[in-house]
Amino acid sequence: MRPRPRRLRSRLTLAFAGVLALVLGAVGLVVYQQYSAGLQTTIDADLVHREHEIRDLDRTPADARQLIALSGERLLQVYAARGDVVASSRLAAGGRILSVARVRRARLRGLWATGPAPGVAGDVRVRAFALPRSGQVAAVGESLARWHRQQHRLALLLVLVLPSALALASYAGYLVAGTALRSVDRMRDRAEHITAAHLNERLPVPDTDDELQRLGTTLNALLERVDAALERERRLVSDASHELRTPLTILHAELELALDGDPADAPALRGTVASALEEVRRLTRLTDDLLALARADQARLPLRAAPLDVGELLEAAARRHAAALAREDRSIASEVAVPGGAVVLADPDRTAQILDNLIANARRHGAGPIELEATPARGPDGTDAIALAVRDHGPGFPADFLPRAFDRFSQADAGRSGSHSGLGLAIVAALADAQHGTAAADNAPGGGARVTVTLPRA
């Protein structure tokens, strides 16, 4: 049989009870010791007071027996200088309170002693001192029986009260832990019923303004991200299936045409093969784009960051597209508007891919000349950065398209016709993010679409 799982509530209560038991035990010990020390101090102070009274009585002409009678002490002995007992009170008449050696020590510097005494049950606290007039030694004592009874009563009280306080506090802690963890149980119960098909559900968050509320809020935010990620994945699969279906359908038709055609008609066969090859190239580009996005999502995109001169980057990109634009009767130019030049820390191949995708997008959807510009900017964390902007002079982005410009398979055109998948700007955003940069799209003042990629400055 599987052991029953240990409950956090029980563990918290046991831990609380253990710590509280140590604290209460230490408090009880300190209270008992301090009380005992206070009793000792009280007894000693009382004996010192009685010593002063006996010294004062010794100044009057009286022998030892008269001194004892005048003092009214119940436990008092007077010794000669050699240690012999001279006189005793009624209670001390049955023996000696002090030994001869202690008498001699008391005569020199006074003496405190605790021990048995004749005629007294239990220990006695004794103060011995030399009498100023006669030179004899007096020993006055106080029975500790009454004080011991008070100590025993305190100990009994502590033994009864402290365990009861521990039990009561532990039970209160158990109730408090249960109340606090009830919200956790509700969140756990709801979490057990949240599946991939019901990710729109959220955990109940207690309105307690404490760690549990922050935990519930954090977990709900996590569910939001998971839900959004799964929605992106579902949309990606759907869109990828749609995009792959078109070239595969065309390729299938071209190959069937080639098989059904006249083998002797070489020009027709050649045209069919060329068309099929173009569709294969389209499938290859789409596969490469999807692979790059998947690696970027998993933070596995290979990058080789190095200082790159922005002016050289823009000029190289302009040269790569100048001939194709010239055939379309369009131009391309670059400008670096950064005082002292601009150098970014980025991967040369991925940065060139970003510029190529942006220029290709401007060629495909824009009109007029294409402008490449670099300006100073601030990165997402407030550090120095360089903004690389690609602008055309066409109709610009539709207003409803701007919020989803960097979504995968998102196109400004309503239809999905043509040979373009709508992954260009999505790849730009993914490559910029992988290099600790950002991407933004807007319509430039004066007309035309503009896409800006911000990369950290070296």
Side-chain angles (χ1 to χ4, degrees), residues 31-305:
V31 168
Y32 183 81
Q33 289 177 340
Q34 291 298 316
Y35 182 76
S36 300
L39 288 178
Q40 181 78 33
T41 302
T42 301
I43 295 172
D44 290 350
D46 179 64
L47 289 175
V48 169
H49 176 71
R50 288 151 67 180
E51 173 188 349
H52 292 160
E53 290 181 344
I54 294 171
R55 285 176 181 273
D56 291 340
L57 291 174
D58 183 60
R59 292 190 179 94
T60 61
D63 59 16
R65 289 182 177 83
Q66 290 176 333
L67 176 65
I68 293 175
L70 291 173
S71 69
E73 292 288 344
R74 299 174 60 247
L75 190 61
L76 176 62
Q77 272 188 342
V78 178
Y79 305 92
R82 293 175 301 177
D84 298 330
V85 176
V86 176
S88 300
S89 64
R90 182 177 57 82
L91 195 60
R96 298 178 63 98
I97 296 178
L98 295 180
S99 65
V100 174
R102 285 189 169 185
V103 170
R104 291 173 180 173
R105 286 202 302 271
R107 186 170 182 272
L108 295 176
R109 54 181 182 274
L111 176 71
W112 289 100
T114 302
V120 180
D123 289 340
V124 173
R125 182 68 170 166
V126 176
R127 172 61 179 168
F129 52 92
L131 295 173
R133 184 183 64 82
S134 63
Q136 295 174 329
V137 174
V140 60
E142 176 68 27
S143 173
L144 299 180
R146 179 166 60 94
W147 307 102
H148 286 164
R149 285 195 297 271
Q150 293 184 13
Q151 285 180 308
H152 294 158
R153 281 197 296 269
L154 175 62
L156 180 62
L157 182 64
L158 292 175
V159 168
L160 293 176
V161 170
L162 293 184
S164 300
L166 174 62
L168 181 62
S170 300
Y171 180 68
Y174 183 78
L175 296 179
V176 171
T179 302
L181 295 175
R182 194 170 296 121
S183 300
V184 177
D185 286 336
R186 285 196 294 266
M187 288 191 285
R188 179 184 58 81
D189 291 340
R190 179 69 61 83
E192 287 181 344
H193 295 87
I194 296 178
T195 63
H198 299 89
L199 276 178
N200 59 327
E201 295 187 20
R202 295 295 176 263
L203 304 179
V205 179
D207 187 14
T208 52
D209 193 24
D210 57 9
E211 290 82 357
L212 288 178
Q213 182 180 11
R214 291 192 287 274
L215 174 63
T217 303
T218 301
L219 291 177
N220 279 338
L222 174 63
L223 288 174
E224 291 279 359
R225 294 193 295 271
V226 172
D227 190 17
L230 287 178
E231 179 60 29
R232 286 196 300 270
E233 293 298 326
R234 285 192 290 264
R235 191 167 60 248
L236 176 62
V237 171
S238 175
D239 291 340
S241 301
H242 180 90
E243 293 296 331
L244 290 170
R245 186 181 298 112
T246 300
L248 287 174
T249 301
I250 296 174
L251 183 59
H252 182 269
E254 295 289 353
L255 292 176
E256 283 188 340
L257 181 62
L259 289 175
D260 294 340
D262 185 0
D265 190 355
L269 183 60
R270 184 178 183 84
T272 301
V273 173
S275 177
L277 181 59
E278 180 59 30
E279 295 304 322
V280 171
R281 291 195 183 102
R282 181 182 174 188
L283 285 172
T284 301
R285 286 194 303 270
L286 181 58
T287 303
D288 290 341
D289 290 345
L290 291 173
L291 180 61
L293 288 173
R295 287 178 173 175
D297 288 343
Q298 300 169 9
R300 295 193 298 110
L301 194 65
L303 294 172
R304 181 175 51 86

